[in-house]
Amino acid sequence: MAITRVNARRLTGTLALVLASAAALAGCGAAKVDTAGGSSPAGSASAAAGSAAACGTVNIAVNPWVGYQADAAVVAYLAKNKLGCTVVKKDLKEEVSWQGFETGQVDAVLENWGHDDLKKTYITDKKVAVEAGPMGAMGIIGWYVPQWMADKYPDITDYKNLNKYASIFKTSESGGVGQLLDGDPSYVTNDAALVKNLNLNYKVVVGGSEAALIKSLQTATDQKKPLLFYFYEPQFALSKLKIARVSLPPYTAGCDAVPAKIACDYPPYVLDKVVSTKFANSGSRAYQLIKNYRLTNDQQNLIASYIAEQNMSDDEAAKKWVDANPDVWKSWLPTG
Amino acid sequence: MTTVTAAATVVAGTATAEPVISVRDLWKIFGPGASRVVGSPDADLSRAELRRRTGCTAAVRRLSFDVARREVFVVMGLSGSGKSTLVRCLTRLVEPTAGQVLFEGEDVRGMDDRRLRELRRRKFAMVFQNFGLLPHRRVLDNVSYGLEIRGAGKPERYARAQEVIDLVGLQGYETAYPDQLSGGMQQRVGLARALAVDPDVLLFDEPFSALDPLIRRGMQDEVIRLHHEVGKTMLFITHDLSEALKLGDRILIMRDGELVQCGTPDQLVGAPADDYVRDFVRDVAKSHVLTLRWIVRRVTPQDALDGPELSPDVVIRDAVRQVIQAGRPVKVVENGALLGVVDSAGILGVIAAEPQGDPP
Amino acid sequence: MTVLVAAPGLRRPSRGVLVGAVLAAWLLLFVALRGQFTLSAGGPTVVPTWLQHLKDGADGQRNTSPLFLYGFNEIRVAIDPLFTNVQGFFLRLGWLGCTVLAAALGLVFAGWRMMLLALAGFLAFGVLGLFGESMDTLALTLTSVLIALVIGIPLGIVAGNSDRFQQVLTPVLDLMQILPTFAYLPLITLCFLIGPASAVIATVIYAAPPVIRLTSAGIRNVAPATTEASRSLGATRWQTVRHVQLPMAKRTIVLGINQTMMAALSMATITALIDAPGLGKTVLKALSREDVGAAFDAGLCIVILAVVLDRVTTAASQRAADIGRSGRATSVTARPAIALLALVAVVVAAQLPRLTARVSLLFPDGWVHPIRPAVNTASRWIELHLFSTTEAIKNGVTYRLINPLQTLLGDSPWWLLVLVVAALGYVLSGVRIALAAAGCLVGLPLLGLWPSGMITLASTLVGAVSAMVIGVVVGVWTGRNDLADRILRPFLDAGQTMPAFVYLIPGLALFGATRFTGIVAGVIYASPVVIKVVNEGIRDVSPSTIEAAVASGSTPWQVITKVQLPMARPHLLLAFNQGVIYVLAAVIVAGLVGGGGLGLDVINGFSQVSLAGTGLAAGIGIVLLGIMLDRITQGAGRRRAGSDVALGAH
């Protein structure tokens, strides 16, 4: 009997749940997506601290490279400790972060690389996001080789000569042609189109991450192994690892209009900040902070090296930098 | 030996005035398009032929019989004869294909689900070959299951279950689980479960064929005892002739879904309808089944009529000693009328024709 | 025709010979036709483009189309709070409350040993510094399991009672189980966007089949006499279900719940890719930073969580069955007391942080000792000292096996490959399978994914064959040696419950971001299942047959090769089938770490809006590849209902 009674109770419990979810279903009318995600509480336990009343919760997207992590570390540290906000960091890829503006899961992107198409969709058309000004750093994307290669093969830094050297870049993954190593698949990249349109005997091999790129660069530098790779600045690793850029056909306005036909270099990027419209209109003090904050390439590289090379946690790295540079961030804080 | 042929006339469905169950022209055909078979020329095909032609199996064919109140009615046949299907058709555990099943005059096939459930809950109860007990419930809860599902409260159903448990001799096992009991004891639980709902009719589907012979005999006696005590109408399925003869007031023999013969035990033994039945009953000790009615002969002038009197319904075996000791013909008298006489020659004729060895 | 009839000596050649002939013909034609009709551009891009439009269309209409407003969005809105409530509950309970609760549940339902296991496990989450993440994963798993049960058990009951429904359901469940976890994700984000709700839905889809299957099987195994007895007493359908079928099928259903839970856990970690919180996120982050130590910590937490959930639910079901059977008075009366005590302990533990400042809701920092630094040191050491060795292994296998196979697949005319698959399918399993398999393969060029598909296929085949070699060697060994079997079995059980994800970590540490890493992960992932099935096959050979072989003077080697392996053939086929499916799942996930192929396409689809169409197509491509491999390798050994259910969950 005990068993059946337990069953009955379990059944009642289950039933209650079904009813509850049914009620939830029936309760609201049409459901818009931005009502869905907004209510989610802090992801992990880290968000529980701090007095939320003064500022509320701010959801910061964190894109997968250490430089961005450094931006987020500083902004989050200041928001928590100087403004009393609850900060939720969300590890998201770039484009997914933009979708987050629409679903309400993301309030701010701190370091945006171009993405004019996304700006059109989410800022111009859907009006769920607004620009919040440049973030201070300048972005460069390009193809590189380790410095020793440029020294040894001086003409390698011109793309026209790459085919001559294709055989030394061969690897187990490149299938008979030279390897061009890319990073995270979510990064801004035209490499596949470039290889095709410039008729290069190369294959784009996706390493999967910034870390994979840096590790390969490290090995290539230490062991003098050939490596052609996609890379970018600001980049903390460049303080120790020397590289040389391979010149591609120069960028001209509009030469990258049709993705499949691109045959020119990457443009220089003015990195900027984007926030959700809701967040911008909320009057949150965190919005003022994000709007005001600016980091130069060197500043970002320094913080990033704390994290990546000195193995500090985000908060430790931010604290170290914040404590040492009050003049820089004081002006970011909202007045009043 | 002379037999009185009138007594052996077999009419399926002869019973007392108001039958409890009345089955008319019942069909059960398994397979695709089964309902189209009945009434078509295919219906007259043999079972094997029907299967070959249509892919259908006729489990029950054109069956009619009545079961009287308080009667023990046995349906007998070999495996595959359709007897288990037949008993399931009565409460529509298996849906009949065609024909009529009346319970106390009401058409069972016309009942809706609710009425049918009511019938199963109150009027019928069934005992199964493989017991069909609930292994996760104690004996007490197994027995009271039928009461539980018709909504009886716990005190009420436990009280009733306890009564029945005492009746079938399961005292002391109330809290045991079925798999802790022997086969015989398990079937007592099955029996108790059926009795607990106090049904009008008990259906037995080969209830004892899974049991050892000795235990089987005990359980048969138990059924006879219960029949005396509670006086239910019983419909009993078996493949065991001796069981049929032992329990049945009347016996229906089935073959390939069809009725072969229906009658009292002595009718079957004394006047088999065909070779099939004759073959069946060949090994039966006739003296144990036949009554004096079957060997009574007309009085001849030579007969001395000063001997003892016996009723025609006395089984031959029970008359042996008296007839032989009497040393002269014994009068067979029914309701004061002299039917004839029985002498030792007649009795010895029956016994001598019996097979050697112990009767089952 | 007449020639064949006239030559009675001609026997139909054995399957092995036919397979060999097909492969030989393939090689010959490859040499002759190499590089022609190859589809290196992928094939027509109509389907991906169409899917891209579908995706863009969906994005545009998310707040306007009734399908979204009253369909997908509603589901999303209904599921989200379910998850956030469970998650919030754990948060409010605090680390101490959660730990005590887990221990209490272990004690009440599974005994003191399981209490200790749960206690140790939960403390380990804290010590590894991942308590919050572990609870998030647990919340996601439990929410999904709950929904899977609410949907799955009724479906199972219906399927158990209706042959027709069962017939419709079975192929659907088969499909759900052979699909690599990755394949659903693009489609689900299309409908439900990213986030916990989508993660729950994906997990439910993946985790529901075992409980549906086993509920149905349990109900079907109830002796018909018993259900009939219940009907004969006038029970309604629901009464029969409730009083007879469910209690009698209970053990089987609980086994199904256990399997569902394991499946849910493994999927829940993978849904980190669509922004679900928890340990998967940590692993993902660690993978992207090549932080082997951090990934190891998180992987260890997943392992611990899997072991705790598996052992506790298994012990609980065992115990429930025992108590139900014996009806022992002591346990029945003692349990409420223990339960009450446990409840008090939980309440106290949950309230402590509010009563005294010395106990926090968060796991004390001072107790956190992740093993990340040690692992990273070790991994750096390996990198420094074993680099040439691991590099040599990786290059050896890649150049000798993977690349040639990939060349063979990719440089063959595409139609030749389709013909080969059809021929193999025909030889192994007949016309219908041949057509189905070939049809699936034709789908790849239609999706514009031929080259990616060939990369994935090559990796999968290399991995499956490797797993099979390991499986046969170890399976035969454990099949013949009881001690080895006893020692190895817990590891195999544990290994089977891990998500494929976890196995990428050691591979990444040793071999970097390459296809080989994916294959290594696949082999580790598939081996436990393959070993178990082979072992079962060896053990199924009747002792008297072996006795007869030994009595006639066979050496052990002869017994293995001439008796045990031939007789275990159906099991070997099943083992290979399972091996292929498992390796495929892992190889797809390895797209995260340089595995390339369809897995990378799916990830690209998540990462770049302009590649979403290709990502969706890749999801479909994985499905096609999965079905093709499954159909062909099922071969002669049709799946057996019972044990296969247990094996099918991955």
Side-chain angles (χ1 to χ4, degrees):
Chain A
M1 276 323 287
I3 301 299
T4 49
R5 232 183 297 125
V6 170
N7 274 346
R9 215 179 303 139
R10 232 177 264 157
L11 204 77
T12 331
T14 318
L15 211 68
L17 250 161
V18 177
L19 288 178
S21 42
L25 255 168
C28 20
K32 300 223 173 181
V33 276
D34 55 354
T35 56
S39 62
S40 66
S44 53
S46 65
S51 66
C55 166
T57 300
V58 50
N59 298 296
I60 297 178
V62 182
N63 295 164
W65 57 91
V66 182
Y68 192 121
Q69 199 184 341
D71 304 337
V74 171
V75 171
Y77 182 82
L78 291 174
K80 269 190 288 190
N81 295 300
K82 306 295 173 194
L83 305 180
C85 310
T86 302
V87 178
V88 181
K89 288 191 206 164
K90 301 202 164 171
D91 290 298
L92 297 172
K93 315 245 170 182
E94 291 160 76
E95 306 206 355
V96 178
S97 311
W98 284 79
Q99 291 176 25
F101 290 137
E102 190 180 7
T103 63
Q105 284 169 315
V106 171
D107 293 327
V109 167
L110 299 180
E111 181 184 322
N112 172 56
W113 289 62
H115 292 303
D116 291 338
D117 50 339
L118 294 173
K119 282 185 175 169
K120 180 175 180 310
T121 306
Y122 291 96
I123 296 179
T124 315
D125 295 347
K126 296 195 171 183
K127 299 192 173 28
V128 292
V130 290
E131 294 188 344
M135 59 77 62
M138 298 301 289
I140 299 169
I141 297 177
W143 291 5
Y144 296 85
V145 290
Q147 184 60 43
W148 69 263
M149 289 193 83
D151 298 342
K152 192 168 170 189
Y153 314 103
D155 61 346
I156 206 169
T157 53
D158 186 338
Y159 80 95
K160 292 187 190 106
N161 301 320
L162 280 179
N163 277 348
K164 193 165 84 184
Y165 294 103
S167 63
I168 63 171
F169 290 111
K170 243 194 276 186
T171 70
S172 68
E173 303 301 300
S174 64
V177 291
Q179 167 178 290
L180 168 61
L181 186 68
D182 267 23
D184 189 301
S186 69
Y187 289 169
V188 175
T189 173
N190 308 323
D191 289 357
L194 282 168
V195 165
K196 189 164 168 250
N197 297 330
L198 297 176
N199 291 316
L200 299 176
N201 278 329
Y202 284 79
K203 182 183 173 192
V204 178
V205 171
V206 180
S209 61
E210 179 180 56
L213 284 175
I214 294 174
K215 196 164 147 189
S216 300
L217 173 59
Q218 183 83 52
T219 313
T221 306
D222 293 349
Q223 306 183 13
K224 295 263 184 304
K225 288 194 167 182
L227 181 70
L228 175 67
F229 61 108
Y230 166 104
F231 220 39
Y232 43 86
E233 291 177 48
Q235 175 53 260
F236 71 95
L238 297 182
S239 60
K240 292 204 181 119
L241 298 166
K242 297 298 164 216
I243 58 177
R245 186 164 182 189
V246 175
S247 65
L248 295 169
Y251 176 82
T252 53
C255 76
D256 56 356
V258 182
K261 300 207 171 131
I262 293 175
C264 58
D265 208 343
Y266 293 89
Y269 292 92
V270 176
L271 307 183
D272 64 348
K273 298 164 281 189
V274 184
V275 297
S276 76
T277 314
K278 210 169 70 182
F279 179 60
N281 296 336
S282 69
S284 163
R285 283 153 63 82
Y287 171 63
Q288 297 298 323
L289 169 70
I290 287 170
K291 199 169 155 48
N292 294 340
Y293 110 91
R294 279 166 172 267
L295 286 174
T296 64
N297 289 26
D298 290 344
Q299 286 164 342
Q300 193 203 65
N301 286 341
L302 180 65
I303 304 162
S305 73
Y306 290 162
I307 295 171
E309 286 169 353
Q310 300 183 25
N311 270 325
M312 290 189 195
S313 73
D314 286 9
D315 272 358
E316 286 164 358
K319 183 173 188 313
K320 182 169 175 183
W321 186 83
V322 164
D323 289 350
N325 300 282
D327 308 342
V328 183
W329 56 264
K330 277 271 163 59
S331 61
W332 301 350
L333 298 184
T335 46
Chain B
M1 191 176 82
T2 331
T3 50
V4 183
T5 46
T9 317
V10 176
V11 181
T14 45
T16 48
E18 186 211 342
V20 180
I21 301 168
S22 184
V23 173
R24 289 291 172 272
D25 248 352
L26 190 71
W27 287 82
K28 175 62 199 180
I29 298 174
F30 292 103
S35 56
R36 285 195 300 271
V37 173
V38 182
S40 77
D42 285 346
D44 293 322
L45 297 173
S46 76
R47 207 188 226 188
E49 188 70 6
L50 180 70
R51 161 169 288 180
R52 205 180 59 73
R53 290 253 189 105
T54 65
C56 293
T57 309
V60 174
R61 300 159 66 107
R62 204 181 283 123
L63 212 59
S64 301
F65 62 90
D66 288 329
V67 179
R69 196 167 295 282
R70 302 175 70 89
E71 183 182 24
V72 179
F73 188 88
V74 175
V75 176
M76 206 204 77
L78 300 178
S79 60
S81 61
K83 55 192 190 305
S84 288
T85 307
L86 169 65
V87 74
R88 282 166 175 74
C89 284
L90 299 183
T91 57
R92 283 169 54 194
L93 287 173
V94 168
E95 202 63 55
T97 310
Q100 200 177 35
V101 177
L102 299 178
F103 173 76
E104 292 180 339
E106 188 183 359
D107 181 11
V108 174
R109 291 192 65 201
M111 293 177 179
D112 61 10
D113 279 0
R114 178 183 298 268
R115 178 78 191 107
L116 183 63
R117 235 174 6 242
E118 213 43 40
L119 187 80
R120 291 176 183 169
R121 285 180 178 183
R122 313 255 168 209
K123 304 296 185 187
F124 283 92
M126 191 157 166
V127 181
F128 293 85
Q129 177 174 9
N130 297 317
F131 320 141
L133 301 180
L134 302 175
H136 56 284
R137 289 172 163 233
R138 299 173 299 167
V139 166
L140 190 64
D141 295 305
N142 260 293
V143 171
S144 56
Y145 179 69
L147 300 162
E148 182 183 341
I149 56 172
R150 69 188 196 197
K154 197 181 273 183
E156 180 197 338
R157 61 177 196 253
Y158 277 1
R160 170 67 186 157
Q162 191 61 54
E163 272 174 41
V164 194
I165 284 172
D166 294 344
L167 184 67
V168 301
L170 276 172
Q171 306 92 315
Y173 293 95
E174 291 85 350
T175 58
Y177 283 81
D179 61 357
Q180 296 167 323
L181 301 178
S182 69
M185 295 301 270
Q186 288 190 40
Q187 195 53 297
R188 277 173 205 263
V189 180
L191 194 54
R193 178 177 61 188
L195 286 170
V197 297
D198 195 24
D200 290 2
V201 180
L202 277 167
L203 305 175
F204 293 85
D205 180 24
E206 303 207 36
F208 308 139
S209 46
L211 304 180
D212 293 337
L214 208 63
I215 297 169
R216 191 186 311 163
R217 197 174 307 163
M219 291 300 290
Q220 287 163 355
D221 294 338
E222 191 76 17
V223 169
I224 292 170
R225 180 180 68 85
L226 285 170
H227 188 241
H228 279 299
E229 285 182 22
V230 298
K232 305 277 182 203
T233 309
M234 293 183 179
L235 196 145
F236 201 103
I237 306 289
T238 182
H239 66 257
D240 178 353
L241 182 67
S242 64
E243 186 168 82
L245 295 173
K246 180 171 177 181
L247 299 175
D249 291 327
R250 284 189 307 141
I251 300 169
L252 186 157
I253 295 186
M254 279 179 83
R255 183 173 68 165
D256 287 351
E258 282 177 302
L259 180 145
V260 182
Q261 188 171 8
C262 181
T264 56
D266 56 329
Q267 282 173 339
L268 297 186
V269 175
D274 62 7
D275 288 345
Y276 182 74
V277 182
R278 191 166 298 123
D279 209 29
F280 238 116
V281 300
R282 193 174 52 200
D283 292 346
V284 175
K286 293 198 172 54
S287 62
H288 293 215
V289 180
L290 297 184
T291 54
L292 294 182
R293 196 190 297 277
W294 289 87
I295 52 171
V296 69
R297 64 172 170 80
R298 240 172 255 126
V299 182
T300 61
Q302 295 94 322
D303 290 329
L305 290 177
D306 54 347
E309 283 181 14
L310 284 173
S311 149
D313 292 329
V314 173
V315 177
I316 294 173
R317 180 180 55 180
D318 301 335
V320 172
R321 174 179 292 245
Q322 257 182 301
V323 174
I324 290 178
Q325 274 179 352
R328 57 201 145 166
V330 172
K331 289 178 289 183
V332 178
V333 177
E334 187 176 34
N335 302 331
L338 179 67
L339 294 181
V341 294
V342 171
D343 57 18
S344 39
I347 284 188
L348 289 175
V350 173
I351 294 174
E354 281 177 6
Q356 295 304 302
D358 282 340
Chain C
M1 274 309 287
T2 45
V3 178
L4 276 180
V5 175
L10 269 183
R11 219 160 40 92
R12 192 171 187 270
S14 78
R15 274 198 196 158
V17 173
L18 285 172
V19 170
V22 170
L23 296 180
W26 178 18
L27 280 177
L28 279 175
L29 285 169
F30 168 72
V31 172
L33 296 168
R34 179 170 185 177
Q36 303 179 48
F37 310 101
T38 59
L39 297 184
S40 51
T45 52
V46 182
V47 179
T49 311
W50 180 76
L51 287 168
Q52 184 73 43
H53 288 314
L54 187 71
K55 158 89 177 152
D56 294 343
D59 281 343
Q61 300 175 17
R62 226 170 269 287
N63 284 333
T64 49
S65 149
L67 181 62
F68 279 99
L69 284 181
Y70 301 100
F72 298 135
N73 295 359
E74 287 283 7
I75 296 176
R76 193 179 140 83
V77 171
I79 289 177
D80 235 18
L82 215 58
F83 167 72
T84 44
N85 279 335
V86 178
Q87 188 191 34
F89 174 70
F90 287 149
L91 267 179
R92 276 193 297 281
L93 218 52
W95 77 271
L96 191 60
C98 287
T99 307
V100 174
L101 177 63
L105 288 176
L107 177 66
V108 173
F109 289 105
W112 65 270
R113 279 208 185 86
M114 290 304 123
M115 176 190 85
L116 290 183
L117 180 71
L119 201 63
F122 274 60
L123 286 176
F125 299 148
V127 171
L128 290 171
L130 293 167
F131 200 90
E133 288 81 354
S134 300
M135 288 309 105
D136 285 349
T137 294
L138 184 62
L140 190 62
T141 307
L142 292 182
T143 311
S144 309
V145 168
L146 195 77
I147 297 175
L149 298 188
V150 167
I151 297 171
I153 291 182
L155 279 181
I157 292 173
V158 177
N161 284 297
S162 156
D163 288 338
R164 192 174 299 170
F165 189 65
Q166 173 95 349
Q167 273 166 15
V168 175
L169 201 63
T170 304
V172 178
L173 297 182
D174 277 346
L175 190 67
M176 285 162 85
Q177 279 193 317
I178 61 169
L179 291 193
T181 40
F182 245 44
Y184 309 139
L185 297 182
L187 213 60
I188 284 171
T189 49
L190 177 70
C191 300
F192 303 102
L193 294 171
I194 53 165
S198 294
V200 168
I201 292 166
T203 309
V204 168
I205 293 178
Y206 182 67
V211 79
I212 300 177
R213 260 181 217 276
L214 285 170
T215 300
S216 166
I219 282 179
R220 279 169 188 275
N221 282 343
V222 171
T226 317
T227 30
E228 195 173 38
S230 175
R231 281 173 63 209
S232 82
L233 287 163
T236 59
R237 260 178 184 225
W238 169 240
Q239 281 175 326
T240 303
V241 167
R242 200 187 134 195
H243 295 299
V244 180
Q245 294 181 329
L246 284 183
M248 287 178 73
K250 192 172 148 196
R251 283 202 65 159
T252 320
I253 296 175
V254 171
L255 182 66
I257 295 176
N258 171 277
Q259 288 193 15
T260 286
M261 200 175 268
M262 292 301 109
L265 177 60
S266 87
M267 186 70 185
T269 53
I270 289 178
T271 53
L273 277 171
I274 51 173
D275 194 34
L279 292 166
K281 262 274 162 79
T282 314
V283 176
L284 210 55
K285 199 156 141 190
L287 286 179
S288 78
R289 294 187 185 154
E290 304 223 335
D291 186 343
V292 177
F296 198 87
D297 278 336
L300 199 61
C301 284
I302 296 173
V303 172
I304 293 170
L305 194 54
V307 171
V308 170
L309 286 178
D310 182 42
R311 296 291 129 170
V312 171
T313 51
T314 308
S317 68
Q318 190 61 49
R319 197 175 149 116
D322 288 350
I323 290 173
R325 264 265 312 104
S326 68
R328 224 170 274 127
T330 49
S331 31
V332 173
T333 49
R335 286 177 85 204
I338 295 175
L340 194 69
L341 210 70
L343 186 71
V344 171
V346 173
V347 171
V348 169
Q351 290 304 322
L352 264 183
R354 289 172 185 80
L355 300 175
T356 155
R358 298 173 78 180
V359 181
S360 157
L361 280 170
L362 303 179
F363 197 79
D365 279 341
W367 297 5
V368 174
H369 295 288
I371 47 180
R372 173 183 169 199
V375 172
N376 276 340
T377 309
S379 125
R380 261 194 298 279
W381 186 88
I382 291 173
E383 231 165 73
L384 228 62
H385 295 88
L386 296 182
F387 181 75
S388 51
T389 317
T390 55
E391 187 77 357
I393 295 173
K394 181 198 85 186
N395 283 341
V397 176
T398 308
Y399 284 122
R400 300 248 161 80
L401 280 176
I402 309 173
N403 284 351
L405 186 58
Q406 202 169 303
T407 309
L408 178 62
L409 292 168
D411 285 3
S412 290
W414 67 271
W415 46 264
L416 176 60
L417 208 54
V418 173
L419 283 180
V420 168
V421 163
L424 286 179
Y426 177 70
V427 169
L428 291 172
S429 331
V431 179
R432 278 180 53 196
I433 301 287
L435 289 178
C440 288
L441 192 57
V442 171
L444 282 180
L446 290 181
L447 292 167
L449 290 169
W450 187 258
S452 302
M454 291 308 109
I455 294 174
T456 300
L457 188 57
S459 300
T460 305
L461 291 177
V462 171
V465 170
S466 314
M468 195 63 193
V469 170
I470 294 175
V472 168
V473 171
V474 181
V476 168
W477 179 48
T478 55
R480 292 169 56 89
N481 183 331
D482 286 339
L483 182 65
D485 188 36
R486 263 208 308 283
I487 294 175
L488 217 55
R489 188 153 288 264
F491 292 97
L492 297 181
D493 286 346
Q496 229 182 329
T497 53
M498 297 311 130
F501 225 38
V502 173
Y503 297 125
L504 292 177
I505 299 163
L508 189 66
L510 292 173
F511 306 111
T514 57
R515 281 165 297 160
F516 186 64
T517 293
I519 293 175
V520 169
V523 172
I524 307 177
Y525 184 49
S527 290
V529 176
V530 177
I531 293 172
K532 272 184 165 182
V533 178
V534 173
N535 174 340
E536 196 186 312
I538 297 292
R539 282 179 184 273
D540 265 9
V541 176
S542 98
S544 57
T545 312
I546 294 173
E547 202 172 25
V550 174
S552 55
S554 310
T555 62
W557 178 248
Q558 284 171 324
V559 172
I560 294 173
T561 55
K562 294 194 188 300
V563 179
Q564 288 178 314
L565 284 179
M567 289 186 74
R569 219 186 92 157
H571 280 88
L572 294 181
L573 284 173
L574 179 64
F576 189 62
N577 169 271
Q578 297 285 312
V580 167
I581 298 302
Y582 273 63
V583 171
L584 175 64
V587 163
I588 295 290
V589 177
L592 280 172
V593 291
L598 295 172
L600 181 61
D601 288 336
V602 170
I603 292 164
N604 283 339
F606 289 137
S607 319
Q608 308 263 4
V609 170
S610 59
L611 293 177
T614 313
L616 280 167
I620 300 169
I622 295 168
V623 173
L624 293 177
L625 211 53
I627 298 175
M628 182 193 92
L629 289 169
D630 180 62
R631 292 297 119 162
I632 291 186
T633 54
Q634 256 179 27
R638 277 301 300 174
R639 295 178 165 214
R640 295 153 307 136
S643 70
D644 192 51
V645 174
L647 299 167
H650 56 272

